[in-house]
Amino acid sequence: MRKTGLFTVVAFFLSISVNGFASQSVRPTTTVAAETGNNTSTADSFRAQSNGNAGASNVSKVDTRSLMYPGSTTALYAHYMPWFGTSSHMDIGYDTADPNQSARQVNDMISRGIQGVIVDWYGRNFAHEDQSTIAMFNESQKHSGFKFAIMEDAGALKKGNQTSELIADLIYAQQKFMSASNYMKMNKRPVVFFFGVEDLAIDWKAVRNHVPGNPLFIFENSNSFGRNYADGAYSWIGPFGDRNDWGQGYLLDFYNLGQKSGKHTVGSVKKGFNDTMSGWSANRVINQNCGQTWLQTFNEIARHYTSKKQLEALQLVTWNDYEEGTAIEMGIENCVSVKGSASGSVLSWNISGNENTVHHYTVFISTDGQNLQPVVDLPAGTHSVDLAAFGFASGAYTVYVKAVGQPSIKNHMSGAIGYTSDGKSPSVPSNADLNLAATPTKISVDPGSSVSTSVTITPSGNFDVPVTLGCGSLPAGVTCTFDQPVVVPGTKKLTAKLTISANSGTTASLFSGHGSFAMWFPGLTFGMFVFGDRKRSRKFWAATALLAILALALVATGCGGGVSKSSNSSSSSFTSDGSATLPSQAGTYAFTINAQSGTFVRSTNATLTIN
């Protein structure tokens, strides 16, 4: 969500005190290039790969925590590979030992709401990997609250006495990393992860007796909860077999055993897996499913944890393992495209692909087609907006619609759309309001079928401006259409027909989008923020004579809502072009029905059951 400083607010209102509250000019703050270009720490030169890695992309920076269960306090860590830049690994356009690259990566992680990094460490004897680890460690210390941890890889222990080598590595790590204030701790003890060491001939009692700092030892997979030398376990990629099995059974077993064990439990999420381009390929693949695997692994967490029963920590697997097709650094492809058109002052758009991978839409306006002003953020499920409500001066403009993905999913921008403003600035009268009611509010539908409900719009006062109707928080594969998508309520009650359609062969999302969006209304509203399931009254206060009148409006929306989810699991199929066709998944989902005019939004809640 964009934030605007006081200086910008003052400058803006200084300008409108001179220009008045009539037609507003476009004030660009960004460009097409910035909104579509690489905004990640991925090398600009990196191109899409056959293992499913997207090329350097424009990626959603929506907070990763928004995909977690409500009230989550789980610590979010990116799993990091430190070996790129040597001839023994794939050339991805950067060297992990470069401190400047570490700075770009940590800043990118933080911009996505990631709170720390766990480095797959090859011990003290692998110079490049250790140099890369130190570079990441040094950078992590520059950012308050950003945590760092190591995961000792079995690859570091291939020679000599494995117990002695591990002890030497961990003594080195304690001196170099674990004594730092930002090193990851649980119960005030530093945490060391281990990868692939369970079958090595290691005397764990000797390791504990010789390594200072009393660290916690966390091992891979659910069977590690039963190891007497383990303080806990972390989940990883999961099983390899059916390429469409995203690992629900694996994660179900892991989280259940973790809760029963009482030991430290570190969960995992992933976009998929594909090692076919690696030098050690075993032809192992877990399909990404156009972003669904990413969302489903988050959804599984919500089946086991709540605000009263927290998951302690979570690994995003992985940040940058390009060779095994798990990297999220460059963004996750969701197979979405956006197309729009303008009819009069109403901008409309449609989306191909699963809309549950979209967090919200941002509408931009431009006078030259390149320099852009953000106009409004609207929640997923909204497909039109009346641009007249924003009061731009008369003339010809270019507008764009950007589908901003769920966290770390690629963003997609529409093509240029022509729009001509007549300069008029309709706004909702101060004495007007709307009430929405659906009959019935609880509806059910079979996959491949449609169902209708009536939506009654009851105005108070003379509501003589256009209102756009839409839905929020619909699950994947479900669409809503209105027989009257744009209405002018006036003074009389009116009814619109809402049709909900569930596509056959498409899974309803186990994740329901979050209703959080911002609106910018020149001359009337500045910095309006609307949050799902909250209602706030319009407030006005007098500013100084120089600034004229400052209006800050907080209006209602109901874009959020709880979701009741089915525990069924089934596999997916894919079309020849790689897009996903998911099987139907029964479940009950809360969604919202919205009426919007410029910055004015009213909503009502409803429930959809997919049989």
Side-chain angles (χ1 to χ4, degrees):
M1 185 171 290
R2 290 180 294 274
K3 296 181 180 178
T4 305
L6 177 61
F7 176 81
T8 306
V9 175
V10 172
F12 175 77
F13 282 100
L14 281 172
S15 70
I16 65 171
S17 68
V18 177
N19 297 330
F21 289 99
S23 299
Q24 299 301 316
S25 59
V26 172
R27 297 175 176 84
T29 59
T30 185
T31 64
V32 171
E35 296 300 326
T36 59
N38 180 23
N39 65 344
T40 75
S41 53
T42 307
D44 289 337
S45 60
F46 187 78
R47 297 293 178 261
Q49 296 176 305
S50 61
N51 64 1
N53 287 331
S57 306
N58 192 267
V59 173
S60 171
K61 298 303 182 77
V62 172
D63 192 340
T64 302
R65 188 170 301 281
S66 67
L67 291 177
M68 295 292 288
Y69 51 88
S72 164
T73 59
T74 303
L76 307 178
Y77 290 86
H79 186 88
Y80 180 76
M81 307 304 183
W83 50 61
F84 293 105
T86 65
S87 58
S88 57
H89 285 276
M90 179 187 292
D91 182 2
I92 60 172
Y94 65 65
D95 187 340
T96 51
D98 178 2
N100 293 321
Q101 180 60 28
S102 297
R104 287 189 288 271
Q105 288 170 315
V106 171
N107 283 316
D108 192 2
M109 292 175 191
I110 291 172
S111 74
R112 305 189 202 188
I114 298 169
Q115 299 166 284
V117 61
I118 299 171
V119 179
D120 192 326
W121 187 52
Y122 266 62
R124 71 200 190 285
N125 292 325
F126 285 70
H128 182 271
E129 285 78 358
D130 191 40
Q131 184 180 354
S132 299
T133 302
I134 292 171
M136 179 59 68
F137 171 71
N138 290 340
E139 183 60 34
S140 73
Q141 292 190 299
K142 298 177 183 178
H143 302 269
S144 177
F146 192 79
K147 302 298 182 180
F148 175 92
I150 59 165
M151 178 181 288
E152 174 100 5
D153 196 294
L157 306 172
K158 298 294 186 180
K159 299 178 181 179
N161 182 290
Q162 293 170 338
T163 298
S164 298
E165 284 297 304
L166 179 56
I167 290 171
D169 275 351
L170 294 185
I171 290 174
Y172 171 91
Q174 200 281 330
Q175 296 169 345
K176 194 74 176 178
F177 308 123
M178 284 187 269
S179 58
S181 61
N182 75 317
Y183 192 87
M184 178 184 182
K185 293 180 177 64
M186 292 179 174
N187 295 343
K188 299 182 180 181
R189 296 170 62 186
V191 179
V192 178
F193 295 87
F194 297 94
F195 183 83
V197 304
E198 292 80 6
D199 295 328
L200 300 183
I202 294 174
D203 182 345
W204 289 103
K205 184 177 180 180
V207 174
R208 285 198 178 276
N209 289 338
H210 288 85
V211 175
N214 192 28
L216 294 169
F217 291 168
I218 310 293
F219 297 85
E220 183 185 358
N221 294 328
S222 60
N223 58 358
S224 290
F225 289 119
R227 300 180 191 276
N228 57 12
Y229 52 81
D231 297 300
Y234 65 90
S235 58
W236 196 239
I237 299 297
F240 298 103
D242 182 352
R243 293 185 173 195
N244 298 316
D245 180 2
W246 52 268
Q248 184 178 30
Y250 168 83
L251 291 171
L252 174 68
D253 177 67
F254 178 83
Y255 294 130
N256 283 342
L257 287 177
Q259 291 177 342
K260 291 177 182 178
S261 73
K263 293 186 175 183
H264 296 285
T265 302
V266 180
S268 66
V269 292
K270 61 179 180 289
K271 74 173 187 183
F273 184 95
N274 187 318
D275 70 357
T276 56
M277 292 186 68
S278 70
W280 52 89
S281 175
N283 200 34
R284 298 171 296 175
V285 176
I286 297 174
N287 286 319
Q288 294 185 32
N289 217 357
C290 296
Q292 297 303 309
T293 296
W294 177 246
L295 299 182
Q296 286 165 324
T297 51
F298 273 101
N299 295 333
E300 185 62 26
I301 298 170
R303 296 183 61 206
H304 302 272
Y305 296 93
T306 67
S307 60
K308 296 181 179 179
K309 184 172 62 176
Q310 295 279 353
L311 174 64
E312 192 167 10
L314 177 71
Q315 274 195 106
L316 312 182
V317 180
T318 65
W319 178 257
N320 66 332
D321 194 343
Y322 290 76
E323 290 164 313
E324 292 188 341
T326 61
I328 66 168
E329 181 177 21
M330 79 295 284
I332 301 165
E333 180 58 72
N334 59 345
C335 315
V336 157
S337 64
V338 185
K339 293 182 179 179
S341 62
S343 177
S345 63
V346 176
L347 171 66
S348 302
W349 59 92
N350 57 61
I351 183 170
S352 65
N354 282 326
E355 196 172 21
N356 72 324
T357 62
V358 175
H359 183 271
H360 67 271
Y361 298 100
T362 299
V363 176
F364 296 91
I365 193 166
S366 173
T367 56
D368 60 8
Q370 295 300 318
N371 295 288
L372 308 178
Q373 174 188 301
V375 178
V376 60
D377 289 347
L378 296 167
T382 306
H383 296 140
S384 62
V385 63
D386 187 356
L387 294 173
F390 299 93
F392 290 106
S394 61
Y397 297 90
T398 302
V399 292
Y400 297 86
V401 179
K402 184 175 184 178
V404 178
Q406 297 287 4
S408 289
I409 286 180
K410 285 179 61 176
N411 301 324
H412 295 271
M413 185 84 96
S414 73
I417 305 162
Y419 160 62
T420 301
S421 171
D422 60 11
K424 297 179 181 179
S425 307
S427 60
V428 176
S430 60
N431 64 344
D433 206 341
L434 284 181
N435 180 68
L436 296 181
T439 307
T441 58
K442 295 182 179 180
I443 57 179
S444 61
V445 63
D446 294 324
S449 300
S450 299
V451 64
S452 296
T453 186
S454 295
V455 179
T456 303
I457 302 109
T458 305
S460 60
N462 183 13
F463 207 105
D464 59 354
V465 295
V467 173
T468 300
L469 302 177
C471 301
S473 299
L474 285 174
V478 177
T479 59
C480 86
T481 55
F482 286 86
D483 61 344
Q484 303 176 72
V486 179
V487 298
V488 181
T491 59
K492 296 181 180 180
K493 181 187 300 186
L494 58 88
T495 300
K497 180 182 178 182
L498 165 62
T499 300
I500 299 286
S501 301
N503 297 333
S504 60
T506 303
T507 294
S509 169
L510 294 177
F511 168 77
S512 178
H514 299 267
S516 173
F517 56 100
M519 294 182 176
W520 183 87
F521 195 173
L524 290 181
T525 309
F526 190 89
M528 173 177 289
F529 296 95
V530 184
F531 294 89
D533 295 329
R534 301 182 185 176
K535 288 189 176 182
R536 299 181 183 178
S537 61
R538 187 171 300 179
K539 299 178 181 178
F540 293 93
W541 65 89
T544 64
L546 180 63
L547 297 182
I549 298 173
L550 171 63
L552 178 65
L554 297 177
V555 296
T557 183
C559 306
V563 180
S564 173
K565 293 175 278 258
S566 161
S567 62
N568 296 332
S569 173
S570 52
S571 60
S572 311
S573 60
F574 287 79
T575 60
S576 59
D577 65 357
S579 61
T581 303
L582 301 175
S584 297
Q585 174 103 29
T588 299
Y589 303 85
F591 72 102
T592 59
I593 302 167
N594 309 317
Q596 183 259 333
S597 180
T599 59
F600 177 97
V601 180
R602 292 292 181 266
S603 300
T604 188
N605 297 320
T607 301
L608 171 67
T609 298
I610 300 175
N611 299 320

